[in-house]
Amino acid sequence: MTQFSESANEKYLLIRRNVPQCMIYENIYSCGVPHGFNLLDFCLIMNTLYKPHLSIRIFSKKFSNNVLKTRLSYNSLFNRSIHEKHYSVVAKVQHTRVEEELHEKAHIDYDRVAIKWNPSIAKLYEDALKYEEGSAISSTGALVTASGIKTGRSPKDKRIVDEPGSSNDIWWGPVNTKLPEQVFLINRERAVDYLNTRKRIYVFDGFAGWDPKYRIKVRVVSSRAYHALFMRNMLIRPTAKELESYGSPDFTIYNAGAFPANRYTTGMTSTTSVALNFHMNEMVILGTEYAGEMKKGVFTVMHYIMPVKHNVLSLHSSANEGHGGDVSIFFGLSGTGKTTLSADPKRLLIGDDEHCWSDDGIFNIEGGCYAKCIGLSPEKEPEIYNAIRFGSVLENVVYNPYSREVNYDDSSLTENTRCAYPIEYIPNAKVPCISSDHPKNLILLTCDAYGVLPPVSKLSPAQAMYHFISGYTAKIAGTEEGVTQPEATFSACFGQPFLVLHPARYAKMLAEKMQQHSADAWLINTGWNGGAYGVGERIKLKYSRAIIDAIHSGELSKAEYESYGVFNLQIPKSCTGVPSELLNPSKTWKGSENEFKDIRNSLANRFIQNFKDYEDQATPEIISAGPILS
């Protein structure tokens, strides 16, 4: 087996890409060794990459180093024995099924790279601590890791291969950018070449989807133990018996995120590339080590496969179940309370982020949770806080180097501090994460920083579709750099970056499910009341929880309602545990009536302008369910 020094190991790929064979065979005598390369290592690399019998002759003429000649001769004989199928050197090596598959499908060099398949948590800890800078064990036993320069997703660098089998279904545009398959293959080759320079790579085989009828087999190939442990938590972990009959994966992720994409390659705009290919059933990551790209990559795949191949609705949502079997789905963008409100101690948690709604019920896509950690405390979110223990992965957090206690309020590295942990670490999780009951309540969460949306509204089916497609919330000062005033933001289906099909297709499927199972829909504002951000007050969490409890108890389905103008929403006149005056924003507004109307109409107009992007595939009934300005 060819052995390179550490420096050559890092430069192997550079040579592989940038030194043409003509230089090796015709110009090496005059050109010499490229700048920055050790002579011995350079010769060994050339001997491995190109024709050994020719390179040995050329280098031997040029240089008289006896050590070099000896090592070149050994490598030359070794490589020639393989080419001539004289396997006496490697006959005793028995390769596993996984090694053979990776070698056959991706040309992973199993003779020089140690392939660690589904390693234990303890082994992944050991390797991360030994080989990955920035790794540590927290005071509670979690693995602390660093994702490098990128501490969040790179949505502008996400691309999907434009190929005949899927092209007509994909919603092309700002969310899904076309990528020629030839460019995907270049990036794939680049990723594999990088993985072949590592001394070890990690392979994890798991499932996406808790329903065996619809689940897919996902394989993750990565160079970091951190990435393997992350996906071990986020995918569904197979039992020993399931691994025996696992077979080949349905989808494979090649994560070479520590190595950059070539920005001069056609279609590349930066050194980061996250590319999916539904023809090859593969995903390739270059130029980012942020683990969330893998999690959301799997979700994007399910967002395509489930609706198109199985007529199963995929949803960016959390879900829980009452002890009587009633299921609720929570939709919401960051900061709306989706995770907090769905984590109800009186109900079982099915999942916190990604689900599918089939003819048989609802099931979680994931085997774990990926929670935000900024500001985390045992008082606010005890379930999440206590889930951070051995086996969990803490990303980009700041900790005391002596005590290893994490400071969850420190955002000096990033606001997007995260923890990934298995869902069974949540005490009231329902495992398996699947329910044969169909959702009875769809809860659409928004954080309205303008203070004009009611704390709770009952939606008609058409209104539910309108607000589902709109996906409204508001950014507030401090949430993002440069934001000083509330900013309305819309994310179709409450998860636009992960959509593959047109939002109207998901909305149509959701409307059919609602009608079939007589589900109610609610718009819940967890934002401001009594005035806009800076004047009014944020709706207290206890009031939002009381509203959710009233929905689950059936109280609000029987309540008396009044119409709320412009947005044409139906709002209850009373709700147990909530002051009645809070239910109608116009009654608690601290400014003038004209000011209230101006801000309300301004937000309504933003809804109308945003929805113009979807009118071409929305029904007249859905379009008319939005705000109306006279």
Side-chain angles (χ1 to χ4, degrees):
M1 187 184 304
T2 306
Q3 296 292 329
F4 302 150
S5 72
E6 286 296 327
S7 61
N9 205 40
E10 297 295 329
K11 295 170 182 174
Y12 172 91
L13 185 54
L14 185 62
I15 282 287
R16 174 73 171 83
R17 288 293 183 192
N18 297 296
V19 180
Q21 291 191 26
C22 61
M23 173 184 167
I24 305 305
Y25 302 130
E26 297 175 14
N27 300 326
I28 188 64
Y29 191 89
S30 59
C31 293
V33 176
H35 176 70
F37 286 85
N38 174 278
L39 169 63
L40 183 59
D41 285 330
F42 178 75
C43 295
L44 288 170
I45 291 171
M46 292 304 99
N47 194 51
T48 301
L49 291 175
Y50 304 112
K51 301 175 182 177
H53 63 281
L54 188 54
S55 58
I56 180 65
R57 196 160 61 245
I58 293 173
F59 287 121
S60 294
K61 286 182 179 180
K62 175 67 177 174
F63 307 110
S64 59
N65 188 313
N66 290 329
V67 175
L68 171 62
K69 285 183 180 180
T70 302
R71 289 184 65 180
L72 281 173
S73 297
Y74 171 78
N75 285 331
S76 183
L77 290 170
F78 176 78
N79 287 332
R80 189 181 303 166
S81 71
I82 293 177
H83 292 310
E84 295 173 359
K85 297 186 178 180
H86 294 158
Y87 296 111
S88 58
V89 177
V90 294
K92 295 181 180 179
V93 177
Q94 295 294 322
H95 293 295
T96 66
R97 172 185 58 82
V98 173
E99 290 174 336
E100 293 286 1
E101 285 182 351
L102 289 171
H103 181 71
E104 179 183 344
K105 294 182 179 180
H107 304 292
I108 295 293
D109 188 351
Y110 50 36
D111 282 322
R112 78 167 306 273
V113 180
I115 298 173
K116 298 176 181 280
W117 178 61
N118 282 42
S120 67
I121 295 174
K123 178 58 180 173
L124 291 171
Y125 264 55
E126 289 173 2
D127 281 10
L129 294 169
K130 186 176 182 180
Y131 303 116
E132 297 176 16
E133 187 177 354
S135 299
I137 299 177
S138 77
S139 59
T140 61
L143 178 67
V144 178
T145 63
S147 66
I149 297 173
K150 296 291 182 77
T151 58
R153 290 182 301 101
S154 302
K156 293 182 180 179
D157 296 304
K158 170 195 159 189
R159 296 170 179 84
I160 298 178
V161 170
D162 182 15
E163 52 88 21
S166 61
S167 186
N168 290 337
D169 289 312
I170 295 174
W171 181 38
W172 298 114
V175 175
N176 299 307
T177 303
K178 292 183 178 181
L179 183 72
E181 190 160 49
Q182 182 61 28
V183 177
F184 177 87
L185 292 173
I186 291 172
N187 284 348
R188 181 183 189 269
E189 186 77 0
R190 193 173 177 86
V192 170
D193 281 346
Y194 173 76
L195 293 172
N196 273 332
T197 68
R198 305 297 88 195
K199 287 186 175 180
R200 67 198 65 80
I201 62 174
Y202 304 89
V203 179
F204 182 76
D205 286 344
F207 298 112
W210 278 88
D211 189 337
K213 184 177 178 180
Y214 298 109
R215 72 184 183 187
I216 65 170
K217 295 177 288 185
V218 179
R219 171 169 291 169
V220 180
V221 184
S222 62
S223 61
R224 294 192 62 178
Y226 144 50
H227 289 156
L229 181 56
F230 177 91
M231 289 306 284
R232 186 186 191 280
N233 287 344
M234 298 314 302
L235 289 173
I236 299 163
R237 296 156 290 283
T239 64
K241 186 176 181 180
E242 287 172 332
L243 276 178
E244 289 178 6
S245 58
Y246 190 86
S248 298
D250 300 311
F251 198 88
T252 302
I253 298 173
Y254 295 102
N255 188 340
F259 194 73
N262 186 338
R263 56 194 176 90
Y264 295 108
T265 302
T266 302
M268 297 295 101
T269 55
S270 75
T271 56
T272 299
S273 174
V274 179
L276 289 95
N277 188 328
F278 291 120
H279 168 60
M280 296 178 65
N281 293 320
E282 291 182 351
M283 177 181 180
V284 171
I285 299 174
L286 292 167
T288 174
E289 295 179 81
Y290 180 65
E293 295 288 8
M294 296 182 288
K295 164 190 159 64
K296 290 305 184 185
V298 173
F299 184 42
T300 302
V301 171
M302 295 293 276
H303 247 347
Y304 171 74
I305 292 177
M306 290 297 110
V308 173
K309 306 295 185 182
H310 302 291
N311 196 34
V312 170
L313 176 60
S314 49
L315 299 166
H316 186 221
S317 67
S318 59
N320 65 24
E321 181 183 67
H323 293 288
D326 59 300
V327 174
S328 289
I329 295 178
F330 297 76
F331 300 97
L333 300 174
S334 179
T336 60
K338 177 177 61 130
T339 300
T340 302
L341 292 174
S342 61
D344 187 334
K346 300 184 294 295
R347 298 171 66 84
L348 299 175
L349 179 68
I350 299 173
D352 77 327
D353 197 43
E354 304 169 6
H355 293 84
C356 289
W357 191 352
S358 72
D359 291 339
D360 303 319
I362 191 163
F363 62 90
N364 190 353
I365 290 174
E366 301 181 297
C369 302
Y370 191 36
K372 286 187 176 181
C373 290
I374 196 70
L376 181 66
S377 70
E379 295 77 25
K380 291 179 183 178
E381 295 174 290
E383 292 86 4
I384 295 174
Y385 187 88
N386 292 325
I388 302 175
R389 56 183 192 261
F390 181 75
S392 300
V393 178
L394 276 168
E395 276 183 332
N396 303 315
V397 296
V398 177
Y399 61 92
N400 183 305
Y402 176 74
S403 67
R404 304 302 169 99
E405 291 182 357
V406 176
N407 183 354
Y408 292 112
D409 294 321
D410 193 327
S411 60
S412 58
L413 295 179
T414 178
E415 285 276 349
N416 191 35
T417 55
R418 295 268 185 169
C419 182
Y421 50 86
I423 195 164
E424 57 264 29
Y425 282 16
I426 298 296
N428 64 327
K430 183 179 184 181
V431 181
C433 305
I434 184 171
S435 175
S436 58
D437 292 294
H438 294 273
K440 295 299 181 184
N441 290 292
L442 276 60
I443 298 169
L444 283 60
L445 299 165
T446 182
C447 174
D448 175 34
Y450 299 98
V452 296
L453 287 182
V456 56
S457 309
K458 194 173 191 302
L459 302 177
S460 68
Q463 286 177 321
M465 295 309 100
Y466 183 92
H467 287 279
F468 176 69
I469 293 173
S470 297
Y472 164 72
T473 195
K475 298 175 185 176
I476 58 175
T479 57
E480 288 187 13
E481 186 177 356
V483 177
T484 57
Q485 295 295 326
E487 292 183 7
T489 183
F490 297 88
S491 183
C493 306
F494 294 95
Q496 183 167 309
F498 323 118
L499 300 183
V500 181
L501 315 180
H502 191 283
R505 289 187 64 175
Y506 298 102
K508 183 175 181 292
M509 294 179 71
L510 183 59
E512 291 170 352
K513 293 287 187 185
M514 283 184 64
Q515 183 178 16
Q516 182 181 357
H517 301 289
S518 303
D520 290 327
W522 312 84
L523 180 65
I524 308 294
N525 174 24
T526 61
W528 270 253
N529 190 279
Y533 172 78
V535 177
E537 296 180 355
R538 182 110 192 226
I539 298 170
K540 290 181 172 58
L541 178 59
K542 67 178 182 179
Y543 295 152
S544 295
R545 287 195 185 279
I547 289 169
I548 300 298
D549 287 343
I551 289 172
H552 288 147
S553 70
E555 175 189 336
L556 287 187
S557 64
K558 303 171 186 175
E560 185 179 354
Y561 286 82
E562 62 180 324
S563 183
Y564 183 68
V566 177
F567 283 91
N568 299 311
L569 298 171
Q570 296 298 306
I571 57 177
K573 292 184 177 181
S574 65
C575 176
T576 301
V578 182
S580 58
E581 63 271 16
L582 290 180
L583 298 174
N584 190 327
S586 64
K587 294 179 180 179
T588 56
W589 191 261
K590 295 178 181 178
S592 67
E593 183 179 351
N594 287 336
E595 181 190 39
F596 173 78
K597 289 181 178 179
D598 288 344
I599 294 178
R600 180 195 61 189
N601 293 349
S602 174
L603 180 59
N605 186 58
R606 290 172 184 258
F607 269 87
I608 294 168
Q609 295 304 315
N610 171 74
F611 206 81
K612 287 182 178 179
D613 292 337
Y614 312 109
E615 287 181 348
D616 60 329
Q617 293 197 38
T619 65
E621 185 183 12
I622 293 176
I623 296 172
S624 63
I628 298 176
L629 292 171
S630 55

